[in-house]
């Protein structure tokens, strides 16, 4: 899913007018960073039974707890992109 729109592209004046000098990060990466912040600042009890990071990453395959946070953040980013396009997440 690397064909998402870019966030924060950089335009600078050049000989022919404004030129794109840096495409910026993908919108997916931006959404994932926002979701990651919410995940790591959540109280450990989540909804009272299970932390959100675990409920969002039930199908995560791996033992690294940090990778679980990244996995959950990108799942949320993908859902946000789908909702942005008018689809159900």
């Amino acid at each position: 899913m690397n064909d998402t729109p870019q966030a924060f592209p950089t335009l600078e004046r050049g000989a022919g007018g404004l030129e794109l000098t840096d495409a910026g990060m993908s919108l997916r990466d931006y959404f994932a960073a926002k979701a990651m912040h919410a995940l790591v600042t959540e109280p450990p009890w989540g909804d009272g039974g299970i932390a959100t990071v675990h409920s969002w990453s039930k199908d995560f395959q791996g033992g690294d707890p940090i990778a679980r946070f990244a996995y959950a953040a990108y799942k949320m980013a993908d859902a946000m992109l789908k909702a942005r396009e008018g689809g159900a997440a």
Side-chain angles (χ1 to χ4, degrees):
M1 198 178 273
N2 291 333
D3 59 346
T4 64
Q6 300 304 109
F8 313 115
T10 302
L11 296 173
E12 295 182 11
R13 291 195 187 276
L18 289 177
E19 298 175 1
L20 182 66
T21 57
D22 185 355
M25 67 186 338
S26 73
L27 191 55
R28 182 175 186 248
D29 288 336
Y30 178 73
F31 284 164
K34 293 294 189 177
M36 176 70 80
H37 181 263
L39 289 170
V40 300
T41 60
E42 176 191 32
W45 53 85
D47 65 5
I50 185 169
T52 302
V53 68
H54 289 286
S55 61
W56 287 1
S57 61
K58 290 178 182 166
D59 54 347
F60 174 72
Q61 301 292 315
D64 182 0
I66 302 301
R68 178 180 291 275
F69 277 88
Y71 181 84
Y74 275 103
K75 280 193 74 169
M76 175 56 94
D78 292 341
M80 291 167 68
L81 287 168
K82 189 170 185 177
R84 182 177 185 265
E85 294 172 3

